[in-house]
Amino acid sequence: MVVDKRTNKTLEADTEFNIKIHDINDNEPKFSKDIYFASVPEMSDVGTSVIQVTATDADDQTYGNSAKLVYSILQGQPYFSVDSDNGTIRTALPNMDRETKENYQVVIQAKDMAGQMGGLSGTTTVSITLSDENDSPPRFANHTFRLSTLESAEVGAAIGRIKANDADVGRNAEMQYSIVDRDGQDIFTIITDQNTQEGIIRVKKVQLDYERKKTFSFKVEVTNTYLDPRFMYSPNPPFKDDAMVRVTIEDVDEPPVFSRNPYIIEVHEDTAAGSFVGVVSAKDLDADNNPVKYSIDRHTDLERLFNIDSVNGTITTLKALDREMSKWHNISVVATEISNPRQTTRVPVFIRVLDVNDNAPEFAMYYETFVCENVKSGQLIQTISAVDTDEPLVGHKFVFSMSFSNPNFTIIDNEDNTARIITRRGGFSQREMNAYLLPVVISDNDYPIQSSTSTLTVNVCACDSGGNVQSCNTEALLSAGLSTGALVAILLCVIILLMIVVLFAALRRQQRKKEPLIISKEDVRDNVVSYNDEGGGEEDTQAFDIGTLRNPEVMDANKLRRDIIPEMLFPFGRTSPIKDNADVRDFIHGRLHENDSDPTAPPYDSLATYAYEGSGSLAESLSSLESGATEGDQEYDYLSNWGPAFKKLADMYIGKDTERET
């Protein structure tokens, strides 16, 4: 505007002036980041876009070329290229392998003035990483692995590890192992350790036995878990690898092994002690095949019912078995290696006791039976049943009967293991008889048939017209309080006491009698005979057997003592007197020893007499007891040659011969 200075009046209307500033190239291009990070898959095709970088220029975009930018690559060739117009970075080489080189530093320049000389420029760095692709197959560094394990390795035990290498990383490096051979698949299995990517070989079945097979060989194959179809059919070798694994089995001293586990044996309950029950067998499967001994764990046989042969494993009974006491016996048999007692194995032996019909049936309960005085004939007074501790195969079938005909009662078998007691008459009276004993015979149907007689006590009671008991005899009630078994037991005790008293009295009476202990003239011991008749001199030989005195060796070796009756016949041989020992004391001591060791000797002192002439003399027998049986005369001249000790005897016999000749 124009204004008068003195008056400040506007002299001219406002006028607008437009002033345009012309740009000059005084600003260089700038990138938004100093460093860019990017990645591209390895093995990407040429021209694959990696990243786009952008720069800005503060100069006027519409005026001249001050803000016209051109991009170029300063570093990173020949792997990458950049679009000069928009700054897009692309791959420039095919088959870029991450395993060869993973990281690249690319420097990009942006220059204004359309890249002409004198233009300003700016740069940035792009860090490019090749991302992994599953283009590398797993490979074994060693195609033969040798492992070893003990034959005692349990199922699931790891026996070793094998490892394949994969140049890939992460998911592309995950591998899985598998056993290719059928023999190896049956015995072993392999799993992958996810942390180390190793193959762990484990025992699959308990079939490792050094004595049967000492080595196993099988093939293991490895492949990637996640496969990339682009590289599976590459011209490289197959996208998997394999290796041979050899496992050596090491020997272990193993305990014996039983042929069966467990053993189930059956034996009848009537088997006597010492009878055969069954046989167990164990064997040392080691190469040494050490001998085995057997024993029974006595903690499982506290009653000591069984015994086992330590050599052949034969089980026998030590006591008789009773099925009614125990149906099963569970014992443990231990097999031990003789050379190494620490190697033991035990096996359960279940012994089932089979039933034998050895128990008779009896009343199922104690019956308090009564009959009313006003009862009529044919009236039911009691229903009885029976029990049997045996177990027949087809079930119990009891038969009830009476041991003899009873005029008062009868029994009717219901054929269902019960029976009815029926009155045969009426008019019972407590004054006449307050109780009746009714023997009932109960038989079973098993083999052999067992039967028993049980006594049923029938008390006579006073009843009303409805059959209700009003009163019974006191003595009858008291007697009913004792069972039949108790009464029988009391009666047996009384009888046994009486028998003991009678036997004791008979023995005392026998000891008081002065009778000869030895009656038979056949016994080698002398007979003690008392008589008042005058004997017939030396020729009287009727009192005893002179032949026995002269020949003590001919006594009966099997003759038993007659002063008692032995319970068992044990043949006891008596030895003849020792011919070379003429000592009477030794002879008596020998006889004393024989009597002390005689199993049939009585439990009290007894008198024993013996006659022993010794083992003979040079003169043989001088007895004239049998001289009457000698034919012809005897010569006694030799007596004069025996010295002064026999002079008197020589004078007697030699002189007698002279008189006869005269």
Side-chain angles (χ1 to χ4, degrees), residues 229-269:
R230 295 179 301 170
F231 308 106
M232 290 180 61
Y233 304 102
S234 63
N236 296 327
F239 216 79
K240 58 184 178 181
D241 201 6
D242 56 56
M244 289 298 298
V245 178
R246 301 182 184 276
V247 180
T248 302
I249 309 301
E250 298 179 358
D251 189 24
V252 174
D253 188 8
E254 299 173 298
V257 177
F258 283 93
S259 59
R260 286 188 293 164
N261 189 357
Y263 285 86
I264 300 178
I265 303 175
E266 294 182 345
V267 61
H268 287 86
E269 67 172 322

Side-chain angles (χ1 to χ4, degrees), residues 348-361:
V349 179
F350 304 117
I351 301 175
R352 179 185 180 186
V353 182
L354 301 179
D355 185 40
V356 174
N357 192 31
D358 57 348
N359 292 279

Side-chain angles (χ1 to χ4, degrees), residues 81-134:
S81 64
V82 63
D83 191 317
S84 60
D85 294 331
N86 55 26
T88 300
I89 301 174
R90 302 178 185 275
T91 58
L93 286 179
N95 301 324
M96 295 177 65
D97 191 2
R98 185 201 66 83
E99 288 74 31
T100 302
K101 185 176 182 180
E102 182 178 6
N103 296 313
Y104 296 86
Q105 298 292 327
V106 178
V107 178
I108 302 298
Q109 181 188 59
K111 188 175 183 180
D112 57 11
M113 296 300 292
Q116 297 178 5
M117 293 293 293
L120 301 177
S121 64
T123 60
T124 187
T125 301
V126 180
S127 178
I128 300 176
T129 302
L130 297 181
S131 61
D132 185 54
E133 295 291 324
N134 193 8

Side-chain angles (χ1 to χ4, degrees), residues 95-366:
N95 301 324
M96 295 177 65
D97 191 2
R98 185 201 66 83
E99 288 74 31
T100 302
K101 185 176 182 180
E102 182 178 6
N103 296 313
Y104 296 86
Q105 298 292 327
V106 178
V107 178
I108 302 298
Q109 181 188 59
K111 188 175 183 180
D112 57 11
M113 296 300 292
Q116 297 178 5
M117 293 293 293
L120 301 177
S121 64
T123 60
T124 187
T125 301
V126 180
S127 178
I128 300 176
T129 302
L130 297 181
S131 61
D132 185 54
E133 295 291 324
N134 193 8
D135 61 334
S136 298
R139 289 287 181 261
F140 285 108
N142 186 2
H143 285 77
T144 301
F145 293 89
R146 298 183 181 276
L147 305 175
S148 63
T149 183
L150 298 175
E151 63 174 334
S152 60
E154 299 179 352
V155 174
I159 64 175
R161 293 172 175 249
I162 61 175
K163 181 70 167 64
N165 299 318
D166 193 333
D168 296 321
V169 294
R171 172 178 174 178
N172 296 324
E174 294 181 4
M175 294 172 284
Q176 60 183 9
Y177 299 85
S178 61
I179 298 176
V180 179
D181 295 341
R182 186 56 181 265
D183 293 340
Q185 292 176 350
D186 294 339
I187 309 300
F188 303 99
T189 184
I190 187 170
I191 62 173
T192 303
D193 187 336
Q194 297 300 328
N195 296 325
T196 63
Q197 295 299 312
E198 293 177 317
I200 305 174
I201 300 177
R202 299 180 182 273
V203 179
K204 184 178 181 181
K205 295 182 179 179
V206 185
Q207 292 185 352
L208 302 182
D209 191 347
Y210 174 84
E211 288 69 32
R212 293 183 180 180
K213 194 171 183 179
K214 297 179 176 60
T215 59
F216 292 89
S217 297
F218 52 90
K219 183 185 291 185
V220 174
E221 187 178 84
V222 60
T223 60
N224 283 127
T225 305
Y226 305 99
L227 300 178
D228 193 334
R230 295 179 301 170
F231 308 106
M232 290 180 61
Y233 304 102
S234 63
N236 296 327
F239 216 79
K240 58 184 178 181
D241 201 6
D242 56 56
M244 289 298 298
V245 178
R246 301 182 184 276
V247 180
T248 302
I249 309 301
E250 298 179 358
D251 189 24
V252 174
D253 188 8
E254 299 173 298
V257 177
F258 283 93
S259 59
R260 286 188 293 164
N261 189 357
Y263 285 86
I264 300 178
I265 303 175
E266 294 182 345
V267 61
H268 287 86
E269 67 172 322
D270 60 349
T271 302
S275 300
F276 172 82
V277 175
V279 178
V280 298
S281 176
K283 184 179 180 181
D284 181 18
L285 300 182
D286 294 324
D288 297 338
N289 191 17
N290 295 319
V292 176
K293 66 177 180 178
Y294 303 90
S295 62
I296 294 178
D297 185 354
R298 289 304 174 186
H299 292 90
T300 62
D301 185 24
L302 297 177
E303 298 179 359
R304 302 187 69 86
L305 298 176
F306 303 97
N307 188 31
I308 188 170
D309 192 300
S310 61
V311 178
N312 57 29
T314 300
I315 300 176
T316 56
T317 57
L318 288 175
K319 300 178 183 178
L321 304 179
D322 188 357
R323 189 203 64 86
E324 285 68 40
M325 296 295 295
S326 180
K327 299 179 182 179
W328 287 88
H329 297 280
N330 304 332
I331 63 176
S332 293
V333 175
V334 180
T336 306
E337 288 186 16
I338 296 179
S339 60
N340 187 3
R342 293 179 297 178
Q343 296 295 338
T344 62
T345 304
R346 61 178 57 234
V347 66
V349 179
F350 304 117
I351 301 175
R352 179 185 180 186
V353 182
L354 301 179
D355 185 40
V356 174
N357 192 31
D358 57 348
N359 292 279
E362 57 186 12
F363 281 152
M365 57 179 293
Y366 172 73

